[in-house]
Amino acid sequence: MMPLEPEPTTPKTFAINSSRDMLEKLKREIEQLAGSIIRQEVIDHGLNAAMTAWHLTDWTWREIQGSIPRFRSLTASAGTPIRELKQFQEFVKKDCAELALLRRHSRLHETFRILEAPGVFHQGDRAI
């Protein structure tokens, strides 16, 4: 009797195969967040969106490393070569901080105000 061949396994990415797939997931989570009115839903959807956005940096970094034009574009945008994931994440966080200033003018202002309340996305007395 011949031994059974192992069954092929699917990647543990839940059908997310690229940064574009992850970005689409983030867009859906932001839509859910924007439609939330119950505090706990705002917290849950806000946290999910934040975690997806952060994981998007991993996916994007991998794809940038595999593309000379993307790497050059990133270097031009950053004004300096970015050679590792942590540097890329710092660059993204800087851009996100600038975008955060614009949120005051968006219809999500109330949602963000709730998320900034003490006890929501905070460690001690500082926001995370």
Side-chain angles (χ1 to χ4, degrees):
M1 183 168 160
M2 296 191 59
L4 295 175
E5 290 189 31
E7 289 187 34
T9 60
T10 56
K12 295 179 177 154
T13 60
F14 298 101
I16 294 178
N17 300 308
S18 69
S19 63
R20 183 163 311 279
D21 293 340
M22 187 63 84
L23 179 61
E24 292 303 316
K25 179 182 185 309
L26 177 58
K27 287 177 184 178
R28 290 189 304 273
E29 289 177 351
I30 289 171
E31 286 174 9
Q32 289 177 331
L33 175 60
S36 299
I37 56 173
I38 299 169
R39 186 174 191 272
Q40 193 58 51
E41 286 180 359
V42 170
I43 292 167
D44 291 349
H45 294 309
L47 183 57
N48 288 343
M51 288 190 297
T52 297
W54 192 247
H55 287 295
L56 180 56
T57 64
D58 294 323
W59 284 87
T60 305
W61 177 246
R62 261 185 262 139
E63 291 173 11
I64 287 170
Q65 287 183 307
S67 168
I68 292 172
R70 287 179 181 170
F71 192 77
R72 286 183 181 152
S73 178
L74 173 63
T75 297
S77 295
T80 186
I82 295 179
R83 304 196 189 286
E84 60 184 40
L85 174 62
K86 188 171 184 153
Q87 287 177 304
F88 177 64
Q89 289 172 330
E90 290 300 318
F91 171 71
V92 170
K93 284 193 319 190
K94 177 183 163 279
D95 275 6
C96 287
E98 291 170 9
L99 287 173
L101 296 175
L102 300 174
R103 75 173 185 236
R104 290 189 176 104
H105 304 289
S106 75
R107 64 186 182 91
L108 291 177
H109 176 71
E110 180 62 19
T111 299
F112 284 108
R113 187 191 66 72
I114 292 169
L115 288 174
E116 290 171 344
V120 181
F121 301 129
H122 283 71
Q123 285 180 337
D125 62 347
R126 81 183 167 90
I128 56 171

Coordinates of all heavy atoms in Angstrom, one line a residue, residues 43-127:
I43 N -15.1 51.0 18.8 CA -13.8 50.4 19.4 C -13.4 49.2 18.6 O -12.2 49.2 18.1 CB -14.0 50.1 20.9 CG1 -14.2 51.4 21.7 CG2 -12.8 49.3 21.4 CD1 -14.7 51.1 23.1
D44 N -14.3 48.3 18.4 CA -13.9 47.0 17.7 C -13.5 47.3 16.2 O -12.5 46.9 15.8 CB -15.1 46.1 17.6 CG -15.4 45.5 19.0 OD1 -14.6 45.7 20.0 OD2 -16.4 44.8 19.2
H45 N -14.3 48.1 15.5 CA -14.0 48.4 14.1 C -12.7 49.3 14.0 O -11.9 49.2 13.1 CB -15.2 49.0 13.4 CG -16.3 48.0 13.2 ND1 -16.2 46.8 12.7 CD2 -17.6 48.2 13.5 CE1 -17.4 46.2 12.7 NE2 -18.2 47.0 13.2
G46 N -12.6 50.2 14.9 CA -11.4 51.1 14.9 C -10.1 50.3 15.2 O -9.1 50.5 14.5
L47 N -10.2 49.4 16.1 CA -9.0 48.5 16.4 C -8.7 47.6 15.2 O -7.6 47.5 14.8 CB -9.2 47.7 17.7 CG -8.1 46.8 18.1 CD1 -6.8 47.7 18.3 CD2 -8.4 46.1 19.4
N48 N -9.8 47.0 14.6 CA -9.5 46.2 13.4 C -8.9 47.0 12.3 O -8.0 46.5 11.6 CB -10.8 45.6 13.0 CG -11.3 44.5 13.9 OD1 -10.6 44.0 14.8 ND2 -12.6 44.1 13.8
A49 N -9.4 48.2 12.1 CA -8.8 49.0 11.0 C -7.4 49.4 11.3 O -6.5 49.3 10.4 CB -9.7 50.3 10.8
A50 N -7.1 49.7 12.5 CA -5.7 50.1 12.9 C -4.8 48.9 12.7 O -3.7 49.1 12.2 CB -5.7 50.6 14.4
M51 N -5.2 47.7 13.1 CA -4.3 46.5 13.0 C -4.1 46.2 11.5 O -3.0 45.9 11.1 CB -4.9 45.4 13.8 CG -4.8 45.5 15.3 SD -5.1 44.1 16.3 CE -6.9 43.8 15.9
T52 N -5.2 46.3 10.7 CA -5.1 46.0 9.3 C -4.1 47.0 8.7 O -3.3 46.6 7.8 CB -6.4 46.0 8.6 OG1 -7.2 45.0 9.2 CG2 -6.3 45.8 7.1
A53 N -4.3 48.3 9.0 CA -3.4 49.3 8.4 C -2.0 49.0 8.8 O -1.1 49.2 7.9 CB -3.8 50.7 9.0
W54 N -1.7 48.6 10.0 CA -0.3 48.3 10.4 C 0.2 47.1 9.7 O 1.3 47.1 9.2 CB -0.2 48.1 11.9 CG 1.2 48.1 12.4 CD1 1.9 47.0 12.9 CD2 2.1 49.2 12.3 NE1 3.2 47.4 13.2 CE2 3.3 48.7 12.8 CE3 2.0 50.5 11.9 CZ2 4.4 49.6 12.9 CZ3 3.1 51.3 12.0 CH2 4.3 50.8 12.5
H55 N -0.6 46.1 9.5 CA -0.2 44.9 8.7 C 0.0 45.2 7.3 O 0.8 44.6 6.6 CB -1.1 43.7 8.9 CG -1.1 43.1 10.3 ND1 0.1 42.4 10.7 CD2 -2.0 43.0 11.3 CE1 -0.2 42.0 11.9 NE2 -1.4 42.4 12.3
L56 N -0.7 46.2 6.8 CA -0.5 46.6 5.4 C 0.9 47.1 5.2 O 1.5 46.9 4.1 CB -1.5 47.7 5.1 CG -1.5 48.3 3.7 CD1 -1.7 47.3 2.6 CD2 -2.5 49.4 3.6
T57 N 1.6 47.6 6.2 CA 3.0 48.0 6.0 C 3.9 46.8 5.7 O 4.8 46.9 4.9 CB 3.5 48.8 7.3 OG1 3.6 47.9 8.4 CG2 2.7 50.1 7.5
D58 N 3.6 45.7 6.4 CA 4.4 44.5 6.1 C 4.3 44.0 4.7 O 5.2 43.7 4.0 CB 4.0 43.3 7.0 CG 4.3 43.6 8.5 OD1 5.3 44.2 8.8 OD2 3.4 43.2 9.3
W59 N 3.0 43.9 4.2 CA 2.7 43.5 2.8 C 3.4 44.5 1.8 O 4.0 44.1 0.9 CB 1.2 43.5 2.6 CG 0.6 42.3 3.2 CD1 0.1 42.2 4.5 CD2 0.3 41.0 2.6 NE1 -0.4 40.9 4.7 CE2 -0.3 40.2 3.6 CE3 0.6 40.5 1.4 CZ2 -0.7 38.9 3.3 CZ3 0.2 39.2 1.1 CH2 -0.5 38.4 2.1
T60 N 3.2 45.8 2.1 CA 3.7 46.8 1.2 C 5.2 46.7 1.1 O 5.9 46.8 0.0 CB 3.2 48.2 1.6 OG1 1.8 48.1 1.6 CG2 3.7 49.2 0.6
W61 N 5.9 46.6 2.3 CA 7.3 46.6 2.3 C 7.9 45.4 1.5 O 8.8 45.5 0.8 CB 7.8 46.5 3.8 CG 9.3 46.4 3.9 CD1 10.0 45.3 4.4 CD2 10.3 47.4 3.5 NE1 11.3 45.6 4.3 CE2 11.5 46.8 3.8 CE3 10.2 48.6 2.9 CZ2 12.7 47.5 3.5 CZ3 11.4 49.3 2.7 CH2 12.6 48.8 3.0
R62 N 7.2 44.2 1.7 CA 7.7 43.1 0.9 C 7.6 43.3 -0.6 O 8.5 43.0 -1.3 CB 6.8 41.8 1.2 CG 7.5 40.9 2.3 CD 6.7 39.7 2.5 NE 6.0 39.9 3.7 CZ 4.8 39.6 3.9 NH1 4.1 38.9 3.0 NH2 4.2 39.8 5.1
E63 N 6.6 44.0 -1.0 CA 6.4 44.2 -2.5 C 7.3 45.3 -2.9 O 7.8 45.3 -4.1 CB 4.9 44.6 -2.8 CG 4.0 43.4 -2.6 CD 2.6 43.7 -2.7 OE1 2.2 44.8 -3.1 OE2 1.8 42.8 -2.4
I64 N 7.6 46.3 -2.1 CA 8.6 47.4 -2.5 C 10.0 46.8 -2.7 O 10.7 47.1 -3.6 CB 8.6 48.5 -1.4 CG1 7.3 49.3 -1.5 CG2 9.9 49.4 -1.6 CD1 7.2 50.3 -0.3
Q65 N 10.4 45.9 -1.8 CA 11.7 45.2 -1.9 C 11.8 44.5 -3.2 O 13.0 44.3 -3.7 CB 11.9 44.3 -0.7 CG 12.2 45.1 0.6 CD 12.5 44.1 1.7 OE1 11.7 43.2 2.0 NE2 13.6 44.3 2.4
G66 N 10.8 43.9 -3.7 CA 10.8 43.2 -5.0 C 10.7 44.0 -6.2 O 10.6 43.5 -7.3
S67 N 10.7 45.3 -6.1 CA 10.5 46.2 -7.2 C 11.5 47.4 -7.2 O 11.3 48.3 -6.3 CB 9.1 46.7 -7.3 OG 8.9 47.7 -8.2
I68 N 12.4 47.5 -8.1 CA 13.3 48.6 -8.2 C 12.6 49.9 -8.4 O 12.9 50.9 -7.7 CB 14.4 48.4 -9.2 CG1 15.3 47.2 -8.8 CG2 15.2 49.6 -9.5 CD1 16.3 46.7 -9.8
P69 N 11.6 50.0 -9.3 CA 10.9 51.3 -9.4 C 10.2 51.7 -8.2 O 10.2 52.9 -7.8 CB 9.9 51.0 -10.6 CG 10.5 49.9 -11.3 CD 11.2 49.1 -10.3
R70 N 9.5 50.8 -7.4 CA 8.8 51.1 -6.2 C 9.8 51.6 -5.1 O 9.6 52.5 -4.4 CB 8.0 49.9 -5.7 CG 6.8 49.7 -6.5 CD 6.1 48.5 -5.9 NE 4.9 48.2 -6.7 CZ 4.1 47.1 -6.6 NH1 4.4 46.2 -5.7 NH2 3.1 47.0 -7.4
F71 N 11.0 50.9 -5.1 CA 12.0 51.3 -4.1 C 12.5 52.7 -4.4 O 12.7 53.5 -3.5 CB 13.1 50.2 -4.1 CG 14.1 50.4 -2.9 CD1 13.7 49.9 -1.7 CD2 15.3 51.0 -3.1 CE1 14.6 50.1 -0.6 CE2 16.2 51.1 -2.0 CZ 15.8 50.7 -0.8
R72 N 12.8 53.0 -5.6 CA 13.2 54.3 -6.0 C 12.2 55.4 -5.7 O 12.5 56.5 -5.2 CB 13.6 54.4 -7.5 CG 14.9 53.7 -7.8 CD 15.2 53.8 -9.3 NE 16.5 53.1 -9.6 CZ 16.8 52.5 -10.7 NH1 15.9 52.6 -11.8 NH2 17.9 51.9 -10.9
S73 N 10.9 55.1 -6.0 CA 9.8 56.0 -5.7 C 9.7 56.2 -4.2 O 9.5 57.4 -3.7 CB 8.5 55.4 -6.2 OG 7.4 56.2 -5.9
L74 N 9.9 55.2 -3.4 CA 9.8 55.3 -1.9 C 11.0 56.2 -1.4 O 10.8 57.1 -0.6 CB 9.9 54.0 -1.2 CG 10.1 54.0 0.3 CD1 8.9 54.7 1.0 CD2 10.3 52.6 0.8
T75 N 12.2 56.0 -2.0 CA 13.4 56.8 -1.6 C 13.1 58.3 -2.0 O 13.4 59.2 -1.2 CB 14.6 56.2 -2.3 OG1 14.8 54.9 -1.8 CG2 15.8 57.1 -2.0
A76 N 12.5 58.5 -3.1 CA 12.3 59.9 -3.5 C 11.2 60.5 -2.6 O 11.4 61.7 -2.2 CB 11.8 59.9 -5.0
S77 N 10.2 59.8 -2.2 CA 9.2 60.3 -1.3 C 9.7 60.6 0.0 O 9.4 61.6 0.7 CB 8.0 59.3 -1.2 OG 7.3 59.2 -2.4
A78 N 10.6 59.7 0.5 CA 11.1 59.8 1.9 C 12.3 60.8 1.9 O 12.6 61.4 3.0 CB 11.6 58.5 2.4
G79 N 12.9 61.0 0.8 CA 14.1 61.9 0.8 C 15.3 61.3 1.3 O 16.4 61.9 1.4
T80 N 15.3 60.0 1.6 CA 16.4 59.2 2.0 C 16.1 57.8 1.8 O 15.0 57.3 1.8 CB 16.7 59.5 3.5 OG1 17.9 58.8 3.9 CG2 15.5 59.0 4.4
P81 N 17.2 57.0 1.6 CA 17.0 55.5 1.4 C 16.4 54.9 2.6 O 16.8 55.2 3.7 CB 18.3 55.0 1.1 CG 19.2 56.1 0.7 CD 18.6 57.3 1.4
I82 N 15.4 54.1 2.4 CA 14.8 53.3 3.5 C 15.2 51.8 3.3 O 14.9 51.3 2.2 CB 13.3 53.5 3.5 CG1 12.9 54.9 3.9 CG2 12.6 52.5 4.5 CD1 11.5 55.3 3.9
R83 N 15.9 51.3 4.2 CA 16.5 50.0 4.0 C 15.9 48.8 4.8 O 16.3 47.7 4.6 CB 18.0 50.1 4.3 CG 18.7 51.1 3.5 CD 20.2 51.0 3.4 NE 20.9 52.1 2.8 CZ 20.9 52.4 1.5 NH1 20.3 51.6 0.7 NH2 21.6 53.4 1.1
E84 N 15.1 49.2 5.7 CA 14.5 48.1 6.5 C 13.0 48.4 6.9 O 12.6 49.6 6.8 CB 15.3 47.8 7.8 CG 15.4 49.0 8.7 CD 16.3 48.7 9.9 OE1 17.4 48.0 9.7 OE2 16.0 49.2 11.0
L85 N 12.3 47.4 7.3 CA 10.9 47.5 7.6 C 10.6 48.6 8.6 O 9.7 49.4 8.5 CB 10.3 46.1 8.0 CG 8.8 46.2 8.5 CD1 7.9 46.6 7.4 CD2 8.5 44.8 9.1
K86 N 11.4 48.6 9.7 CA 11.2 49.5 10.8 C 11.3 51.0 10.3 O 10.5 51.8 10.6 CB 12.2 49.3 11.9 CG 11.9 50.1 13.1 CD 12.7 49.7 14.3 CE 12.3 50.5 15.5 NZ 12.6 49.8 16.7
Q87 N 12.3 51.3 9.4 CA 12.4 52.6 8.8 C 11.1 52.9 8.0 O 10.6 54.0 8.0 CB 13.6 52.7 7.9 CG 14.9 52.7 8.6 CD 16.1 52.7 7.6 OE1 16.2 51.9 6.8 NE2 16.9 53.8 7.7
F88 N 10.7 51.9 7.2 CA 9.5 52.1 6.4 C 8.3 52.4 7.3 O 7.5 53.3 7.0 CB 9.2 50.9 5.5 CG 8.0 51.0 4.7 CD1 7.8 51.9 3.7 CD2 6.9 50.1 4.9 CE1 6.7 52.0 2.9 CE2 5.8 50.2 4.1 CZ 5.7 51.1 3.2
Q89 N 8.1 51.7 8.4 CA 7.0 51.9 9.3 C 7.1 53.3 9.9 O 6.0 54.0 10.1 CB 6.9 50.8 10.3 CG 6.5 49.5 9.7 CD 6.6 48.3 10.7 OE1 7.5 48.3 11.5 NE2 5.8 47.3 10.5
E90 N 8.3 53.8 10.2 CA 8.4 55.1 10.8 C 8.0 56.2 9.7 O 7.4 57.2 10.1 CB 9.9 55.4 11.2 CG 10.2 54.6 12.5 CD 9.4 54.9 13.7 OE1 9.1 56.1 13.9 OE2 9.0 54.0 14.4
F91 N 8.4 55.9 8.5 CA 8.0 56.8 7.4 C 6.5 56.9 7.3 O 5.9 57.9 7.2 CB 8.6 56.4 6.1 CG 8.2 57.1 4.9 CD1 8.5 58.4 4.7 CD2 7.4 56.5 3.9 CE1 8.0 59.1 3.5 CE2 6.9 57.1 2.8 CZ 7.2 58.5 2.6
V92 N 5.8 55.7 7.3 CA 4.4 55.6 7.2 C 3.7 56.3 8.4 O 2.8 57.1 8.2 CB 3.9 54.1 7.1 CG1 2.4 54.0 7.3 CG2 4.4 53.5 5.8
K93 N 4.2 56.1 9.6 CA 3.7 56.7 10.8 C 3.8 58.2 10.7 O 2.8 59.0 11.1 CB 4.4 56.3 12.1 CG 3.9 54.9 12.5 CD 4.3 54.5 13.9 CE 5.7 54.8 14.4 NZ 6.0 54.1 15.6
K94 N 4.9 58.8 10.2 CA 5.0 60.2 10.0 C 3.9 60.7 9.0 O 3.3 61.7 9.3 CB 6.4 60.5 9.4 CG 6.6 62.0 9.1 CD 8.0 62.2 8.5 CE 8.1 63.6 7.9 NZ 7.5 63.6 6.5
D95 N 3.7 60.0 7.9 CA 2.7 60.4 7.0 C 1.3 60.3 7.6 O 0.4 61.1 7.4 CB 2.7 59.6 5.7 CG 3.7 60.1 4.7 OD1 4.4 61.1 5.0 OD2 3.8 59.6 3.6
C96 N 1.1 59.3 8.4 CA -0.2 59.1 9.1 C -0.5 60.2 10.1 O -1.6 60.7 10.2 CB -0.3 57.8 9.8 SG -0.5 56.4 8.7
A97 N 0.6 60.7 10.8 CA 0.4 61.8 11.7 C 0.0 63.1 10.9 O -0.9 63.8 11.4 CB 1.7 62.1 12.4
E98 N 0.5 63.3 9.8 CA 0.1 64.4 9.0 C -1.4 64.3 8.5 O -2.1 65.2 8.5 CB 1.0 64.6 7.8 CG 2.4 65.1 8.2 CD 3.4 65.0 7.1 OE1 3.0 64.8 5.9 OE2 4.6 65.2 7.4
L99 N -1.7 63.1 8.1 CA -3.1 62.8 7.7 C -4.1 63.0 8.9 O -5.2 63.4 8.7 CB -3.3 61.4 7.2 CG -2.7 61.2 5.8 CD1 -2.8 59.7 5.4 CD2 -3.4 62.0 4.7
A100 N -3.6 62.7 10.1 CA -4.5 62.8 11.3 C -4.9 64.2 11.5 O -6.0 64.5 12.0 CB -3.7 62.3 12.5
L101 N -4.1 65.2 11.1 CA -4.5 66.6 11.2 C -5.6 66.9 10.3 O -6.5 67.7 10.6 CB -3.3 67.5 10.9 CG -2.1 67.4 11.8 CD1 -0.9 68.3 11.2 CD2 -2.5 67.8 13.2
L102 N -5.7 66.2 9.2 CA -6.8 66.4 8.2 C -8.1 65.9 8.7 O -9.2 66.3 8.3 CB -6.5 65.9 6.9 CG -5.2 66.4 6.2 CD1 -4.9 65.6 4.9 CD2 -5.4 67.9 5.9
R103 N -8.1 64.9 9.6 CA -9.3 64.2 10.0 C -10.3 65.2 10.7 O -11.5 64.9 10.7 CB -9.0 63.0 10.9 CG -8.6 63.4 12.3 CD -8.5 62.1 13.1 NE -8.3 62.6 14.5 CZ -7.2 62.2 15.2 NH1 -6.4 61.3 14.7 NH2 -7.1 62.6 16.4
R104 N -9.8 66.2 11.3 CA -10.7 67.2 11.9 C -11.7 67.8 10.9 O -12.8 68.3 11.3 CB -9.9 68.3 12.5 CG -9.1 67.9 13.7 CD -8.5 69.0 14.5 NE -7.8 68.6 15.6 CZ -6.5 68.4 15.7 NH1 -5.7 68.8 14.7 NH2 -5.9 68.0 16.8
H105 N -11.4 67.7 9.7 CA -12.3 68.3 8.6 C -13.1 67.2 8.0 O -13.9 67.5 7.1 CB -11.4 69.0 7.6 CG -10.5 70.0 8.2 ND1 -11.0 71.2 8.7 CD2 -9.2 70.0 8.4 CE1 -10.0 71.9 9.2 NE2 -8.9 71.2 9.0
S106 N -13.1 66.0 8.5 CA -13.8 64.9 7.9 C -15.1 64.6 8.6 O -15.3 65.0 9.8 CB -13.0 63.6 7.8 OG -12.9 63.0 9.1
R107 N -16.0 63.9 8.0 CA -17.3 63.5 8.7 C -17.0 62.5 9.8 O -17.9 62.2 10.5 CB -18.3 63.1 7.7 CG -18.0 61.8 6.9 CD -19.0 61.6 5.9 NE -18.7 60.3 5.2 CZ -19.2 59.2 5.5 NH1 -20.0 59.0 6.6 NH2 -18.9 58.1 4.8
L108 N -15.8 61.9 9.9 CA -15.5 61.0 10.9 C -15.0 61.6 12.2 O -14.6 60.9 13.1 CB -14.5 60.0 10.4 CG -14.9 59.0 9.3 CD1 -13.7 58.2 8.8 CD2 -16.1 58.2 9.7
H109 N -15.1 62.9 12.2 CA -14.5 63.6 13.4 C -15.1 63.1 14.7 O -14.3 62.8 15.7 CB -14.8 65.1 13.3 CG -14.4 65.9 14.5 ND1 -13.0 66.1 14.8 CD2 -15.1 66.4 15.5 CE1 -12.9 66.7 16.0 NE2 -14.1 67.0 16.4
E110 N -16.4 62.9 14.8 CA -17.0 62.3 16.0 C -16.5 60.9 16.3 O -16.2 60.6 17.5 CB -18.5 62.3 15.9 CG -19.2 61.8 17.1 CD -19.0 62.6 18.4 OE1 -18.6 63.8 18.3 OE2 -19.2 62.1 19.5
T111 N -16.3 60.1 15.3 CA -15.8 58.8 15.5 C -14.4 58.8 16.1 O -14.1 58.1 17.1 CB -15.7 58.0 14.2 OG1 -17.1 57.9 13.7 CG2 -15.2 56.6 14.4
F112 N -13.5 59.7 15.6 CA -12.2 59.8 16.1 C -12.2 60.4 17.5 O -11.4 60.0 18.4 CB -11.3 60.7 15.2 CG -10.9 59.9 14.0 CD1 -11.4 60.2 12.7 CD2 -9.9 58.9 14.0 CE1 -11.0 59.5 11.6 CE2 -9.5 58.2 12.9 CZ -10.1 58.5 11.7
R113 N -13.1 61.3 17.8 CA -13.2 61.9 19.2 C -13.5 60.8 20.2 O -12.9 60.7 21.2 CB -14.3 62.9 19.2 CG -14.3 63.7 20.5 CD -15.6 64.6 20.7 NE -16.8 63.8 20.8 CZ -17.2 63.0 21.8 NH1 -16.4 62.9 22.9 NH2 -18.3 62.4 21.8
I114 N -14.4 59.8 19.8 CA -14.8 58.7 20.7 C -13.5 57.8 20.9 O -13.2 57.4 22.0 CB -15.9 57.9 20.1 CG1 -17.2 58.7 20.2 CG2 -16.1 56.6 20.9 CD1 -18.4 58.1 19.4
L115 N -12.8 57.6 19.8 CA -11.6 56.7 19.9 C -10.5 57.3 20.7 O -9.7 56.6 21.3 CB -11.1 56.4 18.5 CG -11.9 55.4 17.6 CD1 -11.3 55.4 16.2 CD2 -12.0 54.1 18.2
E116 N -10.5 58.6 20.8 CA -9.5 59.3 21.6 C -9.8 59.4 23.0 O -9.0 59.9 23.8 CB -9.2 60.7 21.0 CG -8.5 60.6 19.6 CD -8.4 61.9 18.9 OE1 -9.1 62.9 19.3 OE2 -7.6 62.0 18.0
A117 N -11.0 59.0 23.4 CA -11.5 59.1 24.8 C -10.6 58.2 25.7 O -10.0 57.2 25.2 CB -12.9 58.6 24.9
P118 N -10.4 58.6 26.9 CA -9.5 57.8 27.8 C -10.1 56.4 27.9 O -11.2 56.1 27.9 CB -9.7 58.5 29.2 CG -10.1 59.9 28.8 CD -10.9 59.8 27.6
G119 N -9.1 55.4 27.9 CA -9.5 54.0 28.0 C -9.6 53.4 26.6 O -9.7 52.2 26.6
V120 N -9.7 54.1 25.6 CA -9.8 53.6 24.2 C -8.5 53.8 23.5 O -8.1 54.9 23.3 CB -11.0 54.2 23.4 CG1 -11.1 53.6 22.1 CG2 -12.3 54.2 24.2
F121 N -7.8 52.8 23.1 CA -6.5 52.8 22.5 C -5.5 53.7 23.3 O -4.8 54.5 22.7 CB -6.7 53.4 21.1 CG -7.5 52.6 20.2 CD1 -8.6 53.2 19.5 CD2 -7.4 51.3 20.0 CE1 -9.4 52.5 18.6 CE2 -8.2 50.5 19.2 CZ -9.2 51.2 18.5
H122 N -5.5 53.5 24.6 CA -4.6 54.2 25.4 C -3.8 53.2 26.3 O -4.3 52.2 26.6 CB -5.3 55.2 26.4 CG -5.7 56.4 25.7 ND1 -6.8 56.5 24.8 CD2 -5.3 57.7 25.8 CE1 -6.9 57.7 24.4 NE2 -6.1 58.5 24.9
Q123 N -2.6 53.6 26.6 CA -1.8 52.9 27.6 C -1.5 53.9 28.6 O -0.8 54.9 28.4 CB -0.5 52.4 27.0 CG -0.6 51.2 26.1 CD 0.7 50.7 25.5 OE1 1.6 51.5 25.4 NE2 0.7 49.5 25.1
G124 N -2.0 53.7 29.8 CA -1.8 54.8 30.8 C -2.5 56.0 30.4 O -3.7 56.0 30.1
D125 N -1.8 57.1 30.3 CA -2.4 58.4 29.9 C -2.0 58.8 28.5 O -2.3 59.9 28.1 CB -2.0 59.5 30.9 CG -0.5 59.7 31.0 OD1 0.2 58.9 30.4 OD2 -0.1 60.8 31.5
R126 N -1.4 57.9 27.8 CA -1.0 58.3 26.4 C -1.7 57.5 25.4 O -1.9 56.3 25.6 CB 0.5 58.3 26.2 CG 1.1 57.0 25.9 CD 2.6 57.1 25.9 NE 3.1 55.7 25.9 CZ 3.3 55.0 24.8 NH1 3.1 55.5 23.6 NH2 3.7 53.7 24.9
A127 N -2.1 58.1 24.2 CA -2.7 57.4 23.2 C -1.7 56.4 22.5 O -0.5 56.7 22.4 CB -3.3 58.4 22.1

